[in-house]
Amino acid sequence: MQACKAESNAFGAACRPGRRGRRGFAKLGLFGVLLCVSWSLAAGELSAGSASHERSLGDKALMEGKLAVALKHFEAAVKMNPTDHMNWYKRATAFIIDKKYESALKDLAKVLELKPEYSQAYDKRAKIYSAQGKFAEARADYEKLQTLKAARRNNIVFQVGSQQRTEYGEKFRQAVECVR
């Protein structure tokens, strides 16, 4: 659990990490401790929620054809929650529409750093590489995309296959019991 930062709360040194001894949280009382802990937790949740809100405002602006507004919202979402791959992906999409391909490539690289199995990022990046005449890079991304799709397909087949084996195993067991 994170304690409040001293520079951003009213409780000062008593709320700093490492000051939880007798003189730390004891000065605050129960209400102060609960307020400090809830503030710490809410700070992270609010920035993630605000980033999601900014991203949805960017989506709306993009649908309305307001590209500059959409880019501002996606930029804000990236700043608020840089660990969410979708914020980077949405901004990359806006950069592609704006024909800022180098910026889009940087954002797509960040998407793949955060979520290496995100196939749509490989697809968009491969299309940009193809348009730029970087066919070796495009081919590598298309091959990775095919590998991801095959892995997903095999996983689905395996799940269906094991489910079928379970059903047939159960039917066989029931048939044996009927014969006895």
Side-chain angles (χ1 to χ4, degrees):
M1 182 178 337
Q2 246 183 338
C4 299
K5 293 180 182 172
E7 60 272 359
S8 57
N9 68 49
F11 299 117
C15 227
R16 260 190 258 143
R19 297 283 304 219
R20 297 184 192 123
R22 275 189 272 165
R23 292 197 271 162
F25 285 151
K27 288 182 184 177
L28 297 175
L30 182 60
F31 176 74
V33 171
L34 292 175
L35 185 61
C36 181
V37 170
S38 67
W39 182 86
S40 306
L41 295 173
E45 293 170 10
L46 289 176
S47 69
S50 298
S52 176
H53 179 68
E54 286 292 332
R55 191 172 66 220
S56 67
L57 290 174
D59 286 338
K60 182 179 177 192
L62 208 57
M63 284 189 236
E64 294 172 354
K66 300 174 183 174
L67 187 58
V69 174
L71 276 168
K72 286 180 185 177
H73 286 297
F74 294 140
E75 180 68 33
V78 165
K79 285 182 181 177
M80 288 179 192
N81 191 1
T83 59
D84 186 351
H85 71 284
M86 282 306 294
N87 295 334
W88 295 93
Y89 182 76
K90 294 288 187 168
R91 190 173 75 170
T93 302
F95 280 141
I96 291 169
I97 294 168
D98 201 20
K99 295 181 172 67
K100 295 180 179 177
Y101 300 116
E102 293 306 316
S103 297
L105 287 172
K106 289 177 186 174
D107 281 3
L108 291 170
K110 186 65 176 180
V111 169
L112 294 171
E113 177 187 317
L114 294 170
K115 192 166 183 174
E117 71 280 0
Y118 197 63
S119 60
Q120 286 119 332
Y122 284 107
D123 185 48
K124 281 194 188 292
R125 195 169 73 171
K127 288 176 182 174
I128 293 171
Y129 283 148
S130 293
Q132 292 179 334
K134 299 177 181 177
F135 299 114
E137 291 91 342
R139 182 179 179 165
D141 278 354
Y142 280 129
E143 287 173 354
K144 180 66 176 179
L145 184 60
Q146 291 305 313
T147 303
L148 289 171
K149 285 183 178 182
R152 189 175 307 126
R153 211 173 17 250
N154 289 340
N155 189 28
I156 291 169
V157 168
F158 176 75
Q159 288 174 355
V160 169
S162 65
Q163 200 171 23
Q164 288 173 344
R165 282 192 291 271
T166 305
E167 288 175 16
Y168 292 134
E170 182 64 25
K171 288 177 183 176
F172 179 75
R173 189 184 61 74
Q174 289 173 352
V176 169
E177 286 180 13
C178 285
V179 172
R180 289 185 188 174

